[in-house]
Amino acid sequence: MMTPQVITPQQMQQILQQQVLTPQQLQVLLQQQQALMLQQQLQEFYKKQQEQLQLQLLQQQHAGKQPKEQQQVATQQLAFQQQLLQMQQLQQQHLLTLQRQGLLSIQPGQPTLPLQPLVQGMIPAELQQLWKEVTGSHTADDVVCNNHSTLDLSTTCVSSTAQPKASLLLNSHASTNGQASVLTLKRESSSHEEYAQNHSLYGHGVCKWPGCEAICEDFPSFLKHLNNEHALDDRSTAQCRVQMQVVQQLELQLSKDKERLQAMMTHLHVKSTEPKASPQPQLYTTCSRENGWIYSSQQLEEGFTGILKGLNLVSSATLSKTVSEASPQSLPHTPTTPTAPLTPITQGPSVITTTSIHNVGPIRRRYSDKYNVPISSDWMISVDFLSLPDIAQNQEFYKNAEVRPPFTYASLIRQAILESPEKQLTLNEIYNWFTRQFAYFRRNAATWKGAIRTNLSLHKCFIRVEEEYGSFWTVDDEAFKRGHHIHRGRPRKPCPDEHFDQLVAHSPSLIKNIQTSHAYCSPLSAALQASMAENSLPLYTTASMGNPALNSLANAMREDLNGVMEHTNSNGSDSSPGRSPMQGMHQVHVKEEPLDPDENEGPLSLVTTANHSPEFDPDRDYEDEPVNEDME
DNA sequence: TCCAACCTAAACACGA
DNA sequence: CTCGTGTTTAGGTTGG
């Protein structure tokens, strides 16, 4: 499962340029991004606040204050802890909300959400023991956190010698409500070293106490500075109070943004279920290739807003608000690849605004196979961006909007076939499905119909089955999932040594002819049957047609035979009109496309058969046709 | 740059 | 002859 990441403006541009997302995906992406940004803000401030608290508490404890002062410290600490608790609860509530909305996928043990409360849920006795350990004879290696961007001990700070403590901390996961546990004073003071290396109040030789920025050469001098300048006094206390107010403001902001997010989502979902008007035609300018590319000058002008408007996703006002207010402060750069190091949030803000997307360049609308998102429910599950309600919305959208669906013809044909009750469709029914499901396919019929026919022929996953009253098409879903084209890339012109390749190139139709002729109840050649029997392979019979399971079985059979099969259909019973010129051969090698290595193992099987009625194409030059060496 | 995947167009064959 | 169906090839774009 993919973990949502804040994407960079460049990535957003890329997504938009490629048109890889459906409108619903874009909606969800927007929501997700906003949610993630809020989460990161909260995380950052939570972390800072927590570290400051820890530092102060340590100072105070080491300073050896008078009892009266200790009481004061305790009071302040309690206030801080309550604040922390509130933040944690807020954070957890936020995360729960995100999870519930499907915007976040949290896997246990995955260090993607370094927001776990540090010591929450520990009982005082545990903490005292931990404190003893930490303040006792420990080494710096004990609890040094290796992760420099987070204090998430539960996931990143488990060193070999600190296992007991680490497990102790991990146990705190059980209590996530934060209600039952009462933080003790010692909770925050787990270790000096824990934050010595990556202290939030110290970085790049500068004290980061709010408003300080004093230069400290090293960490000891920083600590000295901290003890001298930021000891527990009125000023520090006041600064802490200010910081608390900052946190409170953030909470307020978070709460407001959460409400706003909820309202946005509610609004968008409600809107998306409303009848969609067709996109305004003037938003689209079809350029050089009418069916392939759609450029929109207005899209270029309006950038992001224009694109989504063009997609009829949201109203201009809503979108502008969404984009410009998604993150008033910043949209941090964060790598989307899990392997990439986490970029500090303190980098310069990169705000995605409508202005920053103006320079996206030409926007070309075209599918991208990588993001080829199926439109049916059974396919959609694996797509992270989408939730189930989006599926129907997608279909509704394309039914009414004359927008080219971002799906390949093969995907659509497969979809059409699988949606049919019998899992089989005639060509005309496939046409009708296209026009029914997609407004885009209600014009330029010659083009897309031709494309459909080409795809049916070219993709080995589509199996043509002939019946008495015509033929229909089925889909071998396993073959579809394995790969598409029979001809991978442009077929090569045969060279003298490429007889075999040429046979390969002809194999698809031959394979299909074998199946279709058999389905047509013409007697399968005895030789082929014998060969199948020898290989203990099931026959691919008419009964299997239209049955996906049997189709898969049959496909497996074909692949087990692996390539060299005989063209059994030279007696004219094959009513397939577009016959391969190979049918004129007495015996031919039929080899499947060189498949994946795992599919290409084993000896090649050669099936021979009698050729009853060779039909020779006089217009065809067979000079270069391969000669089967097994031919008599 | 190469190549796979995909799209489009067109030529061609065949049968109704 | 036309049309629908099906196959094959050529050439283009895109993205890894």
Side-chain angles (χ1 to χ4, degrees):
Chain A
M1 205 188 298
M2 200 180 78
T3 302
Q5 304 266 358
V6 175
I7 63 176
T8 65
Q10 289 76 21
Q11 290 164 337
M12 178 66 86
Q13 286 180 14
Q14 199 176 5
I15 289 171
L16 292 171
Q17 286 179 34
Q18 296 175 341
Q19 297 288 321
V20 297
L21 298 181
T22 66
Q24 282 70 35
Q25 285 176 293
L26 284 170
Q27 288 180 47
V28 177
L29 189 60
L30 269 179
Q31 296 159 6
Q32 190 184 63
Q33 290 302 307
Q34 190 182 22
L36 284 172
M37 288 185 296
L38 290 174
Q39 178 191 328
Q40 286 196 351
Q41 292 167 21
L42 179 61
Q43 172 188 350
E44 184 69 11
F45 277 90
Y46 170 69
K47 196 178 73 178
K48 283 183 180 174
Q49 186 73 10
Q50 195 171 43
E51 290 174 356
Q52 287 188 5
L53 283 170
Q54 286 184 350
L55 185 72
Q56 288 200 339
L57 290 172
L58 262 185
Q59 277 185 264
Q60 291 155 7
Q61 290 192 355
H62 281 271
K65 300 294 179 183
Q66 298 297 318
K68 187 180 178 181
E69 289 177 337
Q70 283 181 344
Q71 198 173 359
Q72 186 186 359
V73 169
T75 306
Q76 290 184 347
Q77 286 170 340
L78 198 60
F80 284 135
Q81 288 152 10
Q82 287 172 350
Q83 187 69 28
L84 271 177
L85 264 180
Q86 288 179 12
M87 291 181 61
Q88 289 166 0
Q89 291 167 16
L90 198 68
Q91 164 226 325
Q92 286 155 7
Q93 188 183 354
H94 180 57
L95 291 180
L96 278 176
T97 306
L98 292 177
Q99 281 183 278
R100 224 176 289 125
Q101 294 165 350
L103 296 180
L104 278 181
S105 57
I106 301 176
Q107 289 180 325
Q110 189 176 349
T112 53
L113 294 170
L115 296 172
Q116 300 290 346
L118 270 178
V119 288
Q120 186 177 345
M122 296 174 116
I123 61 176
E126 288 176 322
L127 288 163
Q128 287 178 5
Q129 177 62 30
L130 178 60
W131 175 248
K132 279 182 186 176
E133 290 182 37
V134 170
T135 55
S137 57
H138 63 275
T139 65
D141 288 335
D142 277 349
V143 281
V144 165
C145 182
N146 292 323
N147 190 314
H148 294 269
S149 62
T150 174
L151 279 177
D152 181 17
L153 295 176
S154 63
T155 55
T156 59
C157 297
V158 182
S159 64
S160 56
T161 55
Q163 284 298 340
K165 292 186 283 287
S167 61
L168 198 62
L169 293 170
L170 283 167
N171 286 338
S172 68
H173 286 205
S175 169
T176 52
N177 285 331
Q179 303 283 1
S181 62
V182 177
L183 294 175
T184 67
L185 298 184
K186 292 183 179 180
R187 283 189 179 186
E188 268 64 45
S189 45
S190 56
S191 168
H192 281 271
E193 290 78 7
E194 199 165 332
Y195 45 82
Q197 302 297 322
N198 45 18
H199 200 293
S200 285
L201 284 175
Y202 179 65
H204 299 93
V206 173
C207 173
K208 290 185 174 177
W209 185 278
C212 177
E213 298 188 353
I215 297 175
C216 305
E217 291 180 1
D218 51 18
F219 191 71
S221 63
F222 160 71
L223 284 179
K224 187 178 177 181
H225 158 80
L226 207 55
N227 284 324
N228 292 335
E229 300 297 322
H230 307 302
L232 180 61
D233 54 18
D234 290 341
R235 189 176 63 133
S236 297
T237 304
Q239 288 171 329
C240 271
R241 289 206 177 102
V242 169
Q243 190 70 16
M244 287 172 61
Q245 288 179 352
V246 168
V247 173
Q248 283 177 339
Q249 285 299 315
L250 278 171
E251 285 179 8
L252 199 64
Q253 177 75 24
L254 174 65
S255 138
K256 284 181 178 175
D257 274 329
K258 278 173 61 181
E259 285 180 14
R260 187 184 301 165
L261 172 63
Q262 193 58 51
M264 286 166 60
M265 296 178 69
T266 304
H267 165 71
L268 292 177
H269 275 274
V270 167
K271 189 181 182 67
S272 60
T273 55
E274 290 171 0
K276 288 184 175 61
S278 294
Q280 299 139 356
Q282 65 270 20
L283 278 179
Y284 295 91
T285 306
T286 305
C287 292
S288 58
R289 302 181 66 173
E290 191 169 9
N291 293 309
W293 308 99
I294 299 178
Y295 299 80
S296 166
S297 57
Q298 290 197 18
Q299 285 176 359
L300 300 185
E301 292 169 9
E302 298 176 16
F304 190 21
T305 307
I307 294 163
L308 294 191
K309 278 173 68 182
L311 289 172
N312 197 32
L313 174 61
V314 292
S315 68
S316 176
T318 306
L319 182 65
S320 298
K321 194 176 180 184
T322 303
V323 174
S324 60
E325 296 185 9
S327 174
Q329 289 86 1
S330 68
L331 186 115
H333 275 286
T334 303
T336 54
T337 50
T339 54
L342 204 64
T343 305
I345 292 176
T346 53
Q347 278 189 356
S350 304
V351 184
I352 285 189
T353 64
T354 51
T355 54
S356 69
I357 308 179
H358 272 247
N359 301 324
V360 294
I363 298 168
R364 297 185 296 187
R365 304 201 60 236
R366 202 179 183 185
Y367 74 94
S368 172
D369 182 52
K370 182 177 179 181
Y371 300 99
N372 196 6
V373 182
I375 60 173
S376 74
S377 57
D378 54 337
W379 293 18
M380 284 296 239
I381 295 170
S382 62
V383 180
D384 297 285
F385 297 108
L386 300 178
S387 57
L388 285 172
D390 295 318
I391 301 159
Q393 293 170 18
N394 272 346
Q395 285 183 320
E396 280 303 308
F397 175 78
Y398 289 112
K399 268 182 188 175
N400 301 308
E402 203 170 308
V403 175
R404 186 191 181 96
F407 316 114
T408 62
Y409 281 108
S411 302
L412 293 174
I413 295 168
R414 170 192 179 270
Q415 189 61 34
I417 294 172
L418 292 183
E419 275 188 11
S420 65
E422 303 292 325
K423 303 284 185 292
Q424 61 186 38
L425 287 179
T426 65
L427 180 64
N428 200 44
E429 287 170 339
I430 295 174
Y431 291 160
N432 292 336
W433 185 87
F434 269 70
T435 51
R436 200 169 56 243
Q437 297 292 329
F438 300 96
Y440 179 84
F441 292 119
R442 287 164 201 161
R443 37 189 289 249
N444 300 315
T447 300
W448 59 262
K449 284 181 177 178
I452 288 175
R453 290 196 304 272
T454 301
N455 273 267
L456 285 171
S457 288
L458 228 49
H459 288 242
K460 61 179 169 185
C461 58
F462 299 122
I463 302 160
R464 179 170 164 266
V465 182
E466 291 204 19
E467 276 187 340
E468 195 173 352
Y469 302 110
S471 62
F472 55 83
W473 291 90
T474 64
V475 59
D476 179 351
D477 218 24
E478 296 303 314
F480 179 88
K481 288 166 184 170
R482 271 196 305 274
H484 290 167
H485 272 84
I486 299 167
H487 304 290
R488 298 188 175 170
R490 195 173 306 163
R492 297 175 189 168
K493 289 183 178 179
C495 65
D497 292 329
E498 283 185 334
H499 294 317
F500 189 72
D501 286 350
Q502 198 169 35
L503 284 168
V504 169
H506 287 301
S507 66
S509 60
L510 296 179
I511 294 288
K512 287 188 176 183
N513 284 345
I514 290 170
Q515 296 163 348
T516 55
S517 66
H518 186 216
Y520 197 56
C521 298
S522 69
L524 187 65
S525 83
L528 177 57
Q529 292 189 40
S531 173
M532 287 175 168
E534 284 176 6
N535 290 280
S536 302
L537 293 172
L539 289 178
Y540 193 39
T541 64
T542 310
S544 73
M545 293 301 175
N547 184 328
L550 291 180
N551 281 348
S552 302
L553 200 59
N555 187 71
M557 176 201 79
R558 287 209 316 269
E559 300 210 348
D560 285 347
L561 281 178
N562 192 17
V564 180
M565 296 179 71
E566 199 270 344
H567 181 203
T568 64
N569 190 33
S570 54
N571 58 3
S573 64
D574 179 14
S575 63
S576 173
R579 200 165 303 160
S580 164
M582 294 303 294
Q583 66 192 182
M585 302 300 292
H586 290 269
Q587 289 174 318
V588 292
H589 281 199
V590 181
K591 184 185 179 303
E592 282 251 36
E593 176 99 5
L595 298 168
D596 300 335
D598 56 332
E599 294 177 345
N600 209 17
E601 294 169 358
L604 297 177
S605 305
L606 178 65
V607 184
T608 61
T609 185
N611 187 353
H612 301 294
S613 160
E615 292 180 8
F616 201 82
D617 185 352
D619 298 329
R620 185 81 184 189
D621 181 13
Y622 288 104
E623 279 289 325
D624 292 329
E625 291 288 357
V627 176
N628 190 337
E629 302 196 345
D630 289 327
M631 199 160 48
E632 71 244 42

